[in-house]
Amino acid sequence: MDKQTINLLKYRGQGSTAFTGRSEGRLARTDLKLDEKDADGVIYEVIIPKNTTSINSSFFLGLFYPSIKKLCSIEKFDEKYVFVIEEEDQEWKSILEKNLAECRRRAHNELNQTTGIDF
Amino acid sequence: MEDKGRNEIVRRQKTIEEKVYRQRRCHKSRLLSWKQRSLSKIQPSIQVWKDTRSVSLLYKILSSSKEHCTDIIKIPKRFSFYDSHNDCVSVFTQLAASLYHHSKEVCIDFSECEDISVSTMTLLYILIRDFRASLGKGKKKIKSTKLTVKPPSKTDDLRVMKYLKIFDFYDYKDFTDNDGEFLKLPVLSGKFRGSYVENRKATAAKQIVEFINQSYRPANKILSPKGRNLFEGLTNEMLNNAEDHSIKNETWYVSGVTFHDSNIEADLLELNLTILNFGDSFFEGFERTKRENAANYQKLEKLLEHHQKQFSLRKRFEKESLFTLYMLNEGISRLKYEDASRGNGTMPFLKAFSDLEDKGPQGKKYRSVLKIITGHTTLSCDSDVVPYGEDEKHLRISLNKEQDFLKLPEPQYLQYHSKYFPGSFIECKVFLNKNLVDQKNG
């Protein structure tokens, strides 16, 4: 299968080290043309650039939730969009991996349409 | 023959030049008269409105009027929306009216004030700064309002004095900070710019992290990677929330103060941070979209019915307050119909807040607290009622010690007030966990 790279560096914002903001995530999605990429059969390596200090779920969901919904599961999404954290410092790498895990947890809950007040 | 031709050319040129001259002359005078006509219709107060959005916004939304103008604005004993909500709303109603109508002189009287919060001081600062910035602008000279501050009568009230000095409201010439150290974060502001390149929130969060590191400089410490990540998460999510829910993409504001008083343990830093946006309260925003957001709205109504069955004479809550609490839970958002992935904004910052505070013995002594002031409601969250459910699918917040969202919240954490604040404050006082701080190298 074809493999291509998506580098998120320019979507971090000028002078910023964090990925944040749902609107910014949506703008990045438009810029990356992810709607087309979702159905193209290519596997994408999503690069989290060096010196990133946080990945907020608002940005992640703005950027990737439509893809997750289209692919119908987090697992299929993870097969198509493979995240690569460029950071070499192990402590930071572990922190960013936790951020991504948290993003996935939220996306999973949204996919199942559940809320914290369901009873 | 040649002379005739030459004369004809010269005559034509002169005619053209005269026409152009007359046209320009008329055009200039037309412009001037249009300008003059426009200026004559603009009243000074509207010119002020253009430059002092915060003042005019507050004035209009608080339904302030000339009757609220006053020479002396009495600051309550506890100048905090959380502790004296109605009194604080009255203070800002009077101030907005006095500035809007250019009262000759206004004295802001802190003589009886014993306690201050960073959010009320920030709002006061923004209004006065914006008003002062508008003076001298425009062609018509705008009357200046003489603003004075009466300091607290008890001079041993160091915290109040520090706040007045920090925000440049009162210059205590002989004031020295014998009690400890303090540092102020300059008021930051921003709004959505329509571009990921100009993401003001991320820059503001970075400045806040730098501010905290600066506060730790005397102890030769900085935030650890975990601390930095948590803090950026907290502030970014709070700013996202403020930006998303402001009216018509209005500005959000951030301010903060750190204290390292001698009566606080040496390893602890007290950080006071506030984020403000004008606009609908959480509840109002949700009510506006109840038709489009019917599925979400029904879930809240179902829980409300369940809670209403538990009301007693001693323990009952207004719909607005309970809805504000429910909306903090995951999956609930007024914008759910626009974007199905909405509903994750407020829980991250509640979770980050709970991760930041010290859970050890010092944590019990120095309690961190997060407050939300929105519309008629004030809500607080401390270590006893932080979000729970980490091992489950959803994090929840119930504001009761049983950690059961089906039970009513504790009244001290959720209150309703008769007066209304047009917007939302998120204010946190955090005693930073020393485990989130590293010794600085070099």
Side-chain angles (χ1 to χ4, degrees):
Chain A
M1 227 180 217
D2 273 349
K3 263 190 183 177
Q4 286 180 32
T5 302
I6 295 174
N7 195 321
L8 295 183
L9 179 63
K10 72 173 183 175
Y11 307 110
R12 210 165 64 183
Q14 208 169 31
S16 159
T17 55
F19 289 100
T20 183
R22 189 175 301 268
S23 309
E24 284 81 3
R26 275 201 226 114
L27 287 171
R29 181 179 178 80
T30 308
D31 193 61
L32 285 167
K33 295 180 185 164
L34 286 189
D35 284 343
E36 294 164 20
K37 288 183 165 77
D38 287 342
D40 65 7
V42 175
I43 292 176
Y44 291 95
E45 263 188 1
V46 180
I47 309 290
I48 306 292
K50 263 187 190 172
N51 301 319
T52 298
T53 51
S54 86
I55 307 165
N56 282 29
S57 58
S58 54
F59 178 86
F60 180 91
L61 292 171
L63 175 59
F64 287 122
Y65 184 74
S67 302
I68 296 169
K69 205 172 168 187
K70 212 175 276 184
L71 294 164
C72 300
S73 75
I74 304 283
E75 291 74 28
K76 285 192 180 145
F77 168 78
D78 282 338
E79 282 169 13
K80 179 152 177 79
Y81 294 100
V82 179
F83 285 84
V84 174
I85 300 172
E86 271 191 341
E87 185 57 59
E88 284 163 5
D89 183 305
Q90 284 308 310
E91 191 177 3
W92 271 115
K93 200 166 180 172
S94 160
I95 286 167
L96 293 172
E97 276 165 2
K98 280 186 186 159
N99 282 174
L100 284 172
E102 181 60 16
C103 295
R104 287 190 184 92
R105 184 188 73 81
R106 296 213 171 109
H108 177 79
N109 285 337
E110 286 312 317
L111 214 53
N112 293 338
Q113 297 286 294
T114 55
T115 74
I117 59 166
D118 291 340
F119 68 103
Chain B
M1 216 34 196
E2 277 180 14
D3 285 338
K4 264 189 182 175
R6 214 181 294 128
N7 288 339
E8 185 60 27
I9 290 166
V10 168
R11 192 188 65 79
R12 275 184 193 165
Q13 259 183 325
K14 270 191 176 171
T15 313
I16 291 166
E17 277 173 28
E18 270 175 29
K19 273 186 182 172
V20 168
Y21 171 71
R22 260 187 263 123
Q23 207 178 26
R24 283 177 184 173
R25 222 181 106 196
C26 289
H27 181 60
K28 195 176 171 185
S29 62
R30 272 205 309 271
L31 265 178
L32 270 175
S33 63
W34 172 81
K35 270 191 185 173
Q36 279 168 346
R37 277 200 304 272
S38 303
L39 277 173
S40 67
K41 286 178 187 170
I42 293 172
Q43 301 301 319
S45 58
I46 296 175
Q47 267 187 315
V48 169
W49 180 82
K50 219 178 135 182
D51 295 326
T52 56
R53 269 194 88 67
S54 56
V55 172
S56 60
L57 259 177
L58 211 56
Y59 177 80
K60 287 180 182 185
I61 304 170
L62 284 174
S63 302
S64 200
S65 68
K66 220 165 181 177
E67 292 166 5
H68 293 109
C69 292
T70 178
D71 297 335
I72 299 173
I73 296 173
K74 199 87 179 159
I75 301 296
K77 200 169 168 181
R78 305 194 74 163
F79 191 34
S80 151
F81 279 104
Y82 186 74
D83 298 303
S84 316
H85 182 95
N86 286 347
D87 289 339
C88 289
V89 173
S90 299
V91 162
F92 289 108
T93 306
Q94 289 172 345
L95 181 64
S98 305
L99 294 179
Y100 193 85
H101 289 286
H102 302 282
S103 296
K104 206 173 167 187
E105 188 170 340
V106 174
C107 174
I108 303 172
D109 185 355
F110 282 88
S111 58
E112 286 173 24
C113 182
E114 290 176 11
D115 193 20
I116 282 184
S117 77
V118 66
S119 43
T120 44
M121 290 304 281
T122 300
L123 182 55
L124 194 64
Y125 176 85
I126 289 164
L127 292 175
I128 292 171
R129 179 197 67 180
D130 284 0
F131 177 75
R132 281 185 176 149
S134 73
L135 299 175
K137 282 188 181 176
K139 288 196 173 183
K140 286 196 175 179
K141 202 173 175 184
I142 298 166
K143 285 186 292 176
S144 170
T145 297
K146 188 181 171 190
L147 283 167
T148 53
V149 169
K150 192 173 176 187
S153 45
K154 293 181 191 172
T155 51
D156 56 351
D157 214 331
L158 274 179
R159 187 54 72 95
V160 176
M161 286 171 67
K162 280 181 193 174
Y163 265 112
L164 289 178
K165 186 151 178 82
I166 287 165
F167 281 90
D168 296 326
F169 284 127
Y170 197 83
D171 189 16
Y172 285 89
K173 288 187 172 61
D174 53 354
F175 171 76
T176 53
D177 186 16
N178 293 321
D179 188 53
E181 291 174 15
F182 58 86
L183 197 68
K184 179 186 166 234
L185 172 73
V187 175
L188 306 173
S189 60
K191 54 164 85 177
F192 179 58
R193 300 272 186 195
S195 159
Y196 46 76
V197 176
E198 292 180 73
N199 189 342
R200 189 76 187 94
K201 298 178 292 262
T203 321
K206 197 176 167 190
Q207 283 176 278
I208 291 166
V209 166
E210 289 311 312
F211 164 68
I212 295 167
N213 283 337
Q214 220 181 332
S215 305
Y216 269 117
R217 201 165 287 163
N220 203 33
K221 290 183 178 178
I222 54 168
L223 280 172
S224 65
K226 187 180 176 188
R228 181 169 179 172
N229 180 262
L230 275 172
F231 236 103
E232 281 189 352
L234 171 70
T235 47
N236 274 318
E237 292 294 357
M238 284 161 74
L239 290 171
N240 282 331
N241 203 62
E243 198 169 89
D244 286 348
H245 299 288
S246 302
I247 35 167
K248 292 179 188 172
N249 197 28
E250 274 294 331
T251 306
W252 46 258
Y253 302 88
V254 182
S255 173
V257 177
T258 53
F259 292 102
H260 198 202
D261 292 346
S262 55
N263 58 351
I264 297 173
E265 302 282 340
D267 284 345
L268 280 183
L269 188 77
E270 179 192 331
L271 168 72
N272 295 274
L273 196 66
T274 188
I275 291 173
L276 155 71
N277 69 278
F278 295 111
D280 283 341
S281 63
F282 286 18
F283 175 68
E284 277 173 325
F286 204 75
E287 283 288 302
R288 276 192 213 281
T289 59
K290 73 188 222 189
R291 267 192 212 148
E292 298 92 329
N293 214 7
N296 250 205
Y297 197 88
Q298 274 164 23
K299 291 189 183 198
L300 268 68
E301 284 205 313
K302 187 183 171 190
L303 185 55
L304 177 68
E305 266 178 50
H306 177 82
H307 277 152
Q308 280 172 337
K309 288 174 189 166
Q310 299 170 48
F311 282 178
S312 65
L313 280 169
R314 281 190 185 176
K315 208 174 182 184
R316 53 195 309 118
F317 298 90
E318 293 291 332
K319 179 180 176 181
E320 176 186 309
S321 300
L322 285 172
F323 266 41
T324 304
L325 168 60
Y326 303 159
M327 286 167 69
L328 298 181
N329 283 278
E330 284 187 333
I332 305 294
S333 168
R334 68 175 184 89
L335 298 169
K336 198 82 176 179
Y337 66 98
E338 274 183 7
D339 181 343
S341 69
R342 283 277 187 182
N344 289 296
T346 41
M347 188 55 78
F349 73 70
L350 289 166
K351 176 74 175 59
F353 162 73
S354 83
D355 288 340
L356 278 169
E357 64 152 4
D358 196 330
K359 291 179 176 58
Q362 276 184 340
K364 292 195 189 317
K365 198 174 165 189
Y366 299 102
R367 294 176 78 93
S368 297
V369 62
L370 185 143
K371 296 169 191 169
I372 296 172
I373 298 117
T374 176
H376 291 275
T377 296
T378 54
L379 182 152
S380 70
C381 174
D382 61 25
S383 54
D384 289 337
V385 292
V386 288
Y388 62 93
E390 280 199 64
D391 300 329
E392 299 168 24
K393 269 193 295 189
H394 282 290
L395 286 167
R396 301 174 206 272
I397 180 160
S398 59
L399 295 184
N400 55 46
K401 286 168 191 170
E402 296 94 330
Q403 290 190 338
D404 183 352
F405 75 94
L406 291 173
K407 291 190 174 159
L408 285 175
E410 302 290 335
Q412 68 264 32
Y413 294 113
L414 189 66
Q415 291 170 356
Y416 182 89
H417 307 276
S418 57
K419 288 194 177 174
Y420 166 82
F421 179 76
S424 303
F425 273 111
I426 299 170
E427 182 186 311
C428 57
K429 177 187 290 213
V430 181
F431 289 95
L432 283 168
N433 184 346
K434 63 184 174 206
N435 297 326
L436 298 173
V437 172
D438 283 343
Q439 202 65 36
K440 200 173 172 187
N441 292 325

